[in-house]
């Protein structure tokens, strides 16, 4: 919001006066706080210091508002201050609510503590009753131990009887196992005999295979020697063929060279005959050398030509 120049200056003067009065009030609060002495005056000092801080904050606001009114003719800083105050008020309310909640929690915990103490008393009484029960149970346990000892003696006699019965059963089982062992030994002997027979058969087969292997190796060596001989013959023939081929290629190159030379000589001869014919034609046409003619003949020919024209 903006104001005109003159009202804003009036308001600035009023605001400046307010700031001066707040400064004076703050100074007086400071003097009073310094004069307070003793333990009872601590609360009063704290109150006066808080009031002095509020006065200083308000005076700073008034000076800022004065400057803004003089320069811009607005009072936005006052609106900002009011918003900050609203925020502080909310924070104070929230803090008070938190403190009240803490007090309620403390009261709730105190009540819970009292209930816990009452429960502890009840448990102590229950423990006393349980101690009495323990004494009665110990007596019962002693009786049960005596009964158990009697039962153990009876079980011991029964176990001895069972042990004797199991020993007899073991003797019978041992005799059966011995019979089974004899049967297995006879079977093992039969297996050994059959194994020896099979081993002999395999040895004979191995010997036959060894002989066949030696014969096959001998045949293989003979075949390898024959193949090597054939390979050497083929290599010798290949060398001879290569030599013949080189000779033929050499002869072919010589023949080609001779043909090229003959062709060049023929071309040169034709060119020479052409040049000679051209030269002879030039000499005949111009009457040079041995083809030169006399001048009288020329004049007679010219006269005959004229007559013919006429």
């Amino acid at each position: 919001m903006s104001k005109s120049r003159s009202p804003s200056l009036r308001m600035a003067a009023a605001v400046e006066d307010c700031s001066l009065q707040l400064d004076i009030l703050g100074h007086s609060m400071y003097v009073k706080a310094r004069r307070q002495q003793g333990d009872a005056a601590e609360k009063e000092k704290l109150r006066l210091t808080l009031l002095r801080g509020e006065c200083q904050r308000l005076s700073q606001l008034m000076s800022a508002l004065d400057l803004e009114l003089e320069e811009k003719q607005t009072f936005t800083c006052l609106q900002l201050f009011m918003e900050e105050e609203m925020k502080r008020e909310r924070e104070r309310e929230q803090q008070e609510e938190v403190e009240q909640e803490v007090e309620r929690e403390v009261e709730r915990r105190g009540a819970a503590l009292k209930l816990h103490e009452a429960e502890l008393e009840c448990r102590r009484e229950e423990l006393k009753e349980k101690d009495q029960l323990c004494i009665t149970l110990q007596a019962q346990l002693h009786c049960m131990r005596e009964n158990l000892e009697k039962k153990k003696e009876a079980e011991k006699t029964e176990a001895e009887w069972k042990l004797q019965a199991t020993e007899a059963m073991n003797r019978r089982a041992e005799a059966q196992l011995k019979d089974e062992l004899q049967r297995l030994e006879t079977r093992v002997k039969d297996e050994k005999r059959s194994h020896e027979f099979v081993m002999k058969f395999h040895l004979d087969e191995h010997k036959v295979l060894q002989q066949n292997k030696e014969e096959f190796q001998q045949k293989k060596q003979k075949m390898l020697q024959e193949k090597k001989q054939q390979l050497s013959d083929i290599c010798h023939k290949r060398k001879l063929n290569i030599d013949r081929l080189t000779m033929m290629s050499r002869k072919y190159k010589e023949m080609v060279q001779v043909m090229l030379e003959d062709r060049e000589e023929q071309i040169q001869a034709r060119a020479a005959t052409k040049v000679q014919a051209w030269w002879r034609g030039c000499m005949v046409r111009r009457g040079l050398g041995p083809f030169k003619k006399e001048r009288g003949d020329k004049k007679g020919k010219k006269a005959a030509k004229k007559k013919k024209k006429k």
Side-chain angles (χ1 to χ4, degrees), residues 33-47:
R34 287 188 68 183
R35 287 177 182 173
Q36 294 291 332
Q37 291 179 358
D39 297 330
E42 289 295 328
K43 291 182 179 179
E44 188 67 21
K45 276 185 181 181
L46 184 62
R47 188 177 69 79

Side-chain angles (χ1 to χ4, degrees), residues 235-251:
C235 289
H236 183 64
K237 287 178 182 179
R238 185 171 173 274
K239 285 180 182 177
L240 291 172
N241 289 326
I242 289 166
D243 293 336
R244 284 177 190 171
L245 186 64
T246 52
M247 288 290 291
M248 293 292 285
S249 64
R250 213 175 284 155
K251 285 180 182 180

Side-chain angles (χ1 to χ4, degrees), residues 286-303:
R286 293 184 184 183
L288 298 172
F291 303 102
K292 190 173 181 182
K293 294 179 180 180
E294 293 179 358
R295 291 181 181 178
D297 295 335
K298 288 182 179 178
K299 287 179 180 180
K301 284 181 179 180
K302 286 179 181 179

Side-chain angles (χ1 to χ4, degrees), residues 18-19 22-23 54-64:
C18 287
S19 66
L22 285 167
D23 289 334
E54 290 291 328
C55 289
Q56 286 177 355
R57 197 156 58 82
L58 288 169
S59 68
Q60 288 174 2
L61 174 66
M62 291 298 173
S63 60

